[in-house]
Amino acid sequence: MTHALLPSGFHDRLPPDADAAARLERRVLDAAHAHGYERVDPPLAEFEDALAHRLKAARAQDAVRFVDPISQRTLAIRPDITAQVGRIAATRMGHHPRPLRLSYAGSVLRLRASELSPERERRQAGCELIGLDTIAAAQEVVTVAVEALEAAGVTGISIDFTLPDLLATLAAGPLPLDGVSLDELADRLDAKDAGAVAALAPSYLPMIEAAGPFEAAHDRLCRFDVGGALRSRLDGLWKVAEAVKGRVALTLDPTERHGFEYQTWLGFSLFADGARGEIGRGGSYTIVHEDGGEETAIGFTLYIDAIVGAGLAQDERRRLFVPLGTDPAIAAKLRGEGWVTVAALEAGDTPEAQLCTHVLSGGEVRTITT
């Protein structure tokens, strides 16, 4: 047994990754602030019932729970920050004029992890626009997400859109299900299991084919639209995609539901070249107020660890070694020019020991060759 071990799913963030994560969060928040999103910073834990019921249709999340020795009530460590922002919007900022634009960054904790994503503690940053889920609101949120990633230096961005309530809309209207479970059909569509869908509800098979590059998939979905039941959603989705068309790659998967359990008419996943999986997710949803009233909202969350782990937000490491006895004013001037200066504190100190890329020699900055 060693005291250096950490629990399963936890890890230390070391240089340069910890610095990269801090820079990434700062750039994301700065990009959001430029669009009017002001930061909130909710606590790491709060009463379980407040977290569990704030977002309409959200299922009980995989939260770590414990009994508070002060209140003797069950607390939960947040597995996501969106519900907390919803609570703040509905209570502490319930009087604020709408739409309300809020941003955030912080750690979340999940009770369990998956094989593909074994981390239980993760960093998130994102934005929520509360009071609207219109096309204009969706256009803004998607645009801010892209700008935030670009500001952080992420390239090769792509967005995969989905329509989370599409299946329920069809089942309640032009394509009713005769003795078939909506959840079962949704699971088979999500898995792209054409055989099972054909056995359950063959009229829904075209939804599997309506996935792929955005324009072609959108056209196939429009042709499938029975009686125009989806026209407003499809028209709105087209306009949202137009806001970032030509700037990022766009795809559409109308049957994707995993991770979009509480989203309403729109959902989207963010990807980037070099990243193994999603680097963010967003969509429209509903906040439940204390009196039972409901309020629409839309937002996005970026997965900081996934972005940094893929090396997508790493800046060039430039560390300038300043020899012992150098005039502090010279080092200050260099820092003003953007250098990271590392001062020698004893005679035996070396640039190599301090992981420096450059050295101040004879009043000039010289590159250290390896």
Side-chain angles (χ1 to χ4, degrees):
M1 179 177 178
T2 172
H3 295 297
L5 292 178
L6 291 174
S8 176
F10 293 82
H11 67 280
D12 293 313
R13 294 173 177 86
L14 304 177
D17 288 346
D19 286 325
R23 283 195 305 270
L24 172 58
E25 289 183 11
R26 182 71 267 158
R27 290 171 182 172
V28 167
L29 294 174
D30 285 348
H33 189 266
H35 283 270
Y37 289 78
E38 296 184 299
R39 184 173 180 177
V40 293
D41 190 10
L44 183 62
E46 56 182 89
F47 294 121
E48 178 191 16
D49 52 2
L51 276 178
H53 305 295
R54 184 56 62 184
L55 303 184
K56 185 179 180 181
R59 296 184 297 188
Q61 297 221 40
D62 200 13
V64 175
R65 300 168 174 83
F66 61 97
V67 175
D68 176 22
I70 305 300
S71 66
Q72 293 299 304
R73 292 176 59 184
T74 300
L75 303 186
I77 298 176
R78 62 189 182 199
D80 184 81
I81 302 179
T82 301
Q84 292 186 297
V85 177
R87 173 185 57 76
I88 290 172
T91 56
R92 303 289 298 280
M93 301 188 73
H95 64 286
H96 195 286
R98 267 37 178 182
L100 177 62
R101 292 174 170 89
L102 300 175
S103 64
Y104 59 87
S107 293
V108 299
L109 178 65
R110 295 186 181 274
L111 183 62
R112 299 177 183 86
S114 66
E115 291 184 7
L116 294 177
S117 184
E119 301 85 6
R120 293 167 60 197
E121 182 194 11
R122 306 172 188 176
R123 296 286 300 180
Q124 292 184 349
C127 295
E128 308 298 335
L129 194 159
I130 293 133
L132 288 176
D133 67 348
T134 60
I135 294 170
Q139 287 174 325
E140 176 175 298
V141 164
V142 170
T143 300
V144 172
V146 171
E147 287 190 11
L149 289 170
E150 290 175 339
V154 178
T155 59
I157 302 167
S158 62
I159 301 177
D160 185 36
F161 288 105
T162 187
L163 296 166
D165 70 347
L166 181 148
L167 181 59
T169 299
L170 291 173
L175 293 177
L177 299 176
D178 185 14
V180 175
S181 164
L182 181 64
D183 286 339
E184 183 181 4
L185 177 60
D187 288 342
R188 294 302 89 209
L189 284 168
D190 198 8
K192 307 296 186 290
D193 187 343
V197 172
L200 291 170
S203 57
Y204 283 84
L205 273 172
M207 289 181 63
I208 294 179
E209 300 172 0
F214 183 83
E215 292 190 9
H218 188 274
D219 287 345
R220 287 193 291 270
L221 202 54
C222 286
R223 290 194 295 271
F224 167 69
D225 186 12
V226 182
L230 307 177
R231 175 165 296 177
S232 63
R233 285 171 174 77
L234 294 176
D235 288 349
L237 180 60
W238 183 268
K239 292 176 182 177
V240 173
E242 279 191 321
V244 290
K245 183 180 179 181
R247 192 171 179 177
V248 300
L250 300 174
T251 56
L252 170 62
D253 185 351
T255 66
E256 177 64 47
R257 287 207 321 163
H258 180 67
F260 294 100
E261 289 81 8
Y262 65 81
Q263 268 75 24
T264 52
W265 75 274
L266 176 69
F268 59 91
S269 297
L270 296 158
F271 299 87
D273 291 345
R276 183 180 59 181
E278 291 175 313
I279 60 170
R281 183 175 288 177
S284 57
Y285 57 96
T286 301
I287 296 171
V288 180
H289 283 248
E290 299 295 292
D291 60 1
E294 298 180 357
E295 184 174 25
T296 56
I298 187 166
F300 69 87
T301 298
L302 301 180
Y303 307 145
I304 302 300
D305 298 297
I307 297 171
V308 173
L312 301 179
Q314 299 280 5
D315 284 351
E316 180 185 2
R317 200 175 193 185
R318 298 203 316 161
R319 290 164 62 89
L320 175 61
F321 184 78
V322 180
L324 190 67
T326 301
D327 184 351
I330 296 176
K333 180 176 180 296
L334 290 165
R335 286 193 295 274
E337 296 171 359
W339 284 98
V340 173
T341 64
V342 183
L345 301 179
E346 56 186 358
D349 214 350
T350 66
E352 292 77 15
Q354 299 304 325
L355 303 178
C356 289
T357 57
H358 297 75
V359 61
L360 183 65
S361 177
E364 295 183 0
V365 173
R366 301 184 185 278
T367 302
I368 297 174
T369 57
T370 56

